[in-house]
Amino acid sequence: MIRTMTVVGTGLIGTSIGLAVSRHGVKVHLLDKEEVTARTAAALGAGVVGASDGPVDLAVAAVPPSAVGGVLAELQARGTARAYTDVASVKAQLAGDVRQSVATPAGYVGGHPVTAGERNGPLAARADLFEDRPWVLTPSETTSQDAVNRVLEMIAMCGAVPVIMDGRAHDDAVALTSHAPHVVASLMAARIQHGSPDSFRLAGQGLHDVMRMAVRDTGLWSDILRANAPAVAGVLRGLRDDLTTLLTTLDALSGVARSGVPQDDASRSLAPVADVLDRGAAGLAALRGWRAADRQAYVEVVVEEGPGQLVRLLDALKALHAEAEDVAPRYSTEEGRLSLTFAVPAVHAGRIVLELARAGWQAESVAAVAGPPCPARV
């Protein structure tokens, strides 16, 4: 049983781990090269500043990928813990670095909590940051079962869902789902520098959604991209090919517009654009469909009669992080009533129904609804 831990690196992830496990009575020792950062994390309740007097049950290196090997080697040399893990978002190259750096690789298991926030640093940390989120473990053939068990116990305290993966498979997956999207968001954000004040006035939610993932911590992300360069480059090459198709077609369309070619010819030239857009819509539908199926529970809420009731209910659902686009309206001709249905994590369905009932809404868990899936970000 884990009673003591050391967390090296008190940014968003390290501090959130400290906050989460401290709720379970674990004494956490916080270390950071920036004393003010460690003391801020301690003031939030994530632990105490300073090294432990003896070995702790588990040490977590919450530092950039390039620093993990050195930090773990130093911790092992000091006999800091009985087992060690990290939280870096790149695993394959890191595993080799760690094996070369540490004296006892059996006590180490690679880890990556798949969660993030738009802000960094300890002040952005939350004890519930990892709840219901995947936490990848990449044990090697040399990893001891004791080390794995200790990390699994920490993951359980954080409320996350453990996922065992091969390091290379993990890196390929995050290149597609995280690393490349961050790069693309940054590329779009870079274009904004060339905009005029008039264009800024027209910036809507769509632009903010695209740019939300733009990199803010350049040093950290340079480190991540260096460590996962092959996988990220593969995703970006595919994106480059699609962009080349779009550019070729748009350039041709520009020529059509200037030359006055008949409209039916112009429509035929739009086929490559439509293909790219259709594949994008299919990809989005596939992801949403998977998320909906993964939740395995639905909540139905009756819309009360009267002006403004639907708007009030949508506001209540938004407070539960269910956006309007994720909600499916249903109308029962037999009962003569309108209701809204949305997908939720099965483990949260009861709590959500209770919260809605306390707010005065008629809500209940229901079986999966027919028709298109309606995944919710609850």
Side-chain angles (χ1 to χ4, degrees), residues 222-277:
S222 295
D223 202 24
I224 290 171
L225 294 175
R226 178 171 57 248
N228 203 22
V232 177
V235 176
L236 294 179
R237 284 192 187 94
L239 187 63
R240 176 198 60 192
D241 293 343
D242 284 340
L243 284 173
T244 299
T245 298
L246 284 174
L247 284 171
T248 301
T249 305
L250 293 174
D251 286 342
L253 288 171
S254 299
V256 165
R258 289 192 296 270
S259 62
V261 174
Q263 184 61 42
D264 57 346
D265 290 344
S267 297
R268 281 197 295 271
S269 68
L270 273 171
V273 174
D275 175 65
V276 170
L277 298 178

Side-chain angles (χ1 to χ4, degrees), residues 4-369:
T4 56
M5 281 179 53
T6 292
V7 175
V8 182
T10 49
L12 170 65
I13 300 299
T15 302
S16 294
I17 291 174
L19 291 171
V21 301
S22 292
R23 296 182 302 180
H24 296 273
V26 176
K27 183 176 182 180
V28 181
H29 297 269
L30 303 171
L31 303 174
D32 199 292
K33 62 181 181 180
E34 300 291 340
E35 184 177 358
V36 64
T37 306
R39 294 200 175 278
T40 301
L44 291 169
V48 296
V49 178
S52 61
D53 293 332
V56 297
D57 296 314
L58 178 66
V60 181
V63 296
S66 62
V68 170
V71 167
L72 290 177
E74 184 177 350
L75 291 174
Q76 274 203 2
R78 295 178 179 177
T80 301
R82 298 176 178 87
Y84 302 84
T85 188
D86 71 285
V87 299
S89 67
V90 183
K91 300 267 71 91
Q93 178 181 314
L94 180 60
D97 294 342
V98 170
R99 281 195 295 268
Q100 294 178 2
S101 301
V102 303
T104 312
Y108 163 75
V109 53
H112 174 210
V114 186
T115 186
E118 294 182 32
R119 297 167 54 211
N120 295 316
L123 292 177
R126 309 193 322 262
D128 63 351
L129 184 67
F130 311 104
E131 288 187 4
D132 300 318
R133 299 295 302 162
W135 194 310
V136 178
L137 294 183
T138 56
S140 70
E141 62 279 0
T142 62
T143 303
S144 71
Q145 188 60 49
D146 178 69
V148 173
N149 290 342
R150 290 176 189 272
V151 179
L152 286 173
E153 185 177 350
M154 177 194 68
I155 292 173
M157 292 180 186
C158 292
V161 181
V163 179
I164 307 296
M165 292 184 71
D166 169 74
R168 177 54 62 192
H170 164 273
D171 290 358
D172 289 343
V174 294
L176 176 64
T177 61
S178 175
H179 297 168
H182 275 83
V183 172
V184 172
S186 294
L187 292 174
M188 189 62 230
R191 295 296 91 208
I192 298 302
Q193 293 185 96
H194 305 287
S196 66
D198 285 339
S199 64
F200 294 160
R201 292 190 183 97
L202 302 182
Q205 188 59 45
L207 177 64
H208 290 285
D209 288 344
V210 170
M211 293 173 51
R212 181 178 60 82
M213 292 178 67
V215 168
R216 292 170 175 80
D217 190 336
T218 303
L220 172 62
W221 273 94
S222 295
D223 202 24
I224 290 171
L225 294 175
R226 178 171 57 248
N228 203 22
V232 177
V235 176
L236 294 179
R237 284 192 187 94
L239 187 63
R240 176 198 60 192
D241 293 343
D242 284 340
L243 284 173
T244 299
T245 298
L246 284 174
L247 284 171
T248 301
T249 305
L250 293 174
D251 286 342
L253 288 171
S254 299
V256 165
R258 289 192 296 270
S259 62
V261 174
Q263 184 61 42
D264 57 346
D265 290 344
S267 297
R268 281 197 295 271
S269 68
L270 273 171
V273 174
D275 175 65
V276 170
L277 298 178
D278 284 344
R279 285 190 285 115
L284 178 60
L287 179 60
R288 288 187 166 183
W290 180 88
R291 293 177 64 192
D294 192 51
R295 282 170 168 78
Q296 300 178 342
Y298 290 83
V299 171
E300 182 179 23
V301 191
V302 175
V303 180
E304 300 175 1
E305 294 184 1
Q309 291 301 314
L310 178 56
V311 174
R312 192 168 72 88
L313 176 54
L314 288 173
D315 288 342
L317 296 184
K318 191 172 183 179
L320 294 171
H321 306 292
E323 302 294 342
E325 66 184 49
D326 299 326
V327 178
R330 309 283 168 181
Y331 183 74
S332 170
T333 55
E334 295 180 357
E335 301 178 7
R337 72 179 192 184
L338 178 69
S339 63
L340 301 183
T341 305
F342 56 100
V344 299
V347 294
H348 290 328
R351 174 183 62 80
I352 289 171
V353 168
L354 182 60
E355 289 184 12
L356 288 168
R358 286 174 176 169
W361 298 102
Q362 182 181 338
E364 63 178 340
S365 296
V366 296
V369 294

